[in-house]
Amino acid sequence: MGGLRERSTVLLAIVVLMGCASSAVPRGPLASTGGSNGVYSAAQAQRGREAFTEVCRECHSSSEFRGRDFEFTWRRRTAWDLYRELRRTMPEDFPGALAPQTYVDVIAYVLEINDYAPGGVELVPDEESLRRVPLGPGANKGG
Ligand code: HEC
């Protein structure tokens, strides 16, 4: 475990890097189609919220998966990485215990609390489609 000071230095470096990166990021196809907005439905996020409350809240608070902390951890990764990690490691006392659909429902809830807009489709537990959902800063901003 790194010390608090070490950790803040790393975070500061990330903030600085992000500041530079965000102005230089080219507007790719995802940006022009609205980032990662519209990739889950409101009903799915609601199911995810229920699963989160039932399973994850025993050890986590939803604020751990929201905002800057979430962005710092997942900024270069996609929903597929989060899905894979959740299935491999969570719930910590019983990894992989949930249905694949429940894991993506929880991810829909995480997208919702990170201000991604809901849409008319649902996230499905499929590598190809989850790889198309970036989680980094700005992916929720649309374009
Ligand atoms: C029994 C307790 C427990 C439950 C239940 C649990 N977790 Fe965890 N979770 C942990 C612990 C402890 C860690 C830290 C593990 C580590 O860093 O090695 C962790 C780490 C994580 C991480 C990694 C955090 C990061 O910043 O990298 C994520 C994401 C996560 N949990 C999500 C979930 C979700 C979603 C659920 C519900 C499906 C869940 N957890 C259920 C105990 C739990």
Side-chain angles (χ1 to χ4, degrees):
M1 281 292 158
L4 193 56
R5 258 183 60 178
E6 207 173 19
R7 200 180 139 108
S8 357
T9 309
V10 172
L11 289 184
L12 185 64
I14 293 171
V15 172
V16 171
L17 283 174
M18 275 173 38
C20 302
S22 57
S23 52
V25 165
R27 295 176 61 82
L30 277 168
S32 58
T33 54
S36 291
N37 290 302
V39 298
Y40 72 93
S41 73
Q44 180 174 31
Q46 181 56 35
R47 293 199 307 269
R49 177 190 298 270
E50 283 159 17
F52 188 93
T53 303
E54 208 172 292
V55 182
C56 320
R57 277 281 287 260
E58 185 190 333
C59 307
H60 295 284
S61 120
S62 59
S63 62
E64 288 171 46
F65 307 117
R66 166 160 60 208
R68 291 205 315 175
D69 286 347
F70 177 79
E71 290 187 347
F72 288 150
T73 306
W74 297 98
R75 57 195 294 269
R76 295 200 185 283
R77 298 194 264 171
T78 65
W80 168 249
D81 300 304
L82 180 53
Y83 173 79
R84 210 174 33 177
E85 179 155 329
L86 287 182
R87 283 199 71 187
R88 193 173 55 81
T89 64
M90 292 294 133
E92 208 212 12
D93 50 355
F94 207 164
L98 309 179
Q101 185 64 46
T102 304
Y103 285 104
V104 285
D105 291 351
V106 169
I107 292 172
Y109 168 60
V110 169
L111 292 176
E112 181 186 67
I113 64 177
N114 280 283
D115 298 330
Y116 290 77
V121 297
E122 298 212 338
L123 278 181
V124 291
D126 166 68
E127 175 168 358
E128 183 111 345
S129 51
L130 292 176
R131 276 193 192 281
R132 287 198 290 266
V133 179
L135 298 175
N140 57 352
K141 295 297 187 288

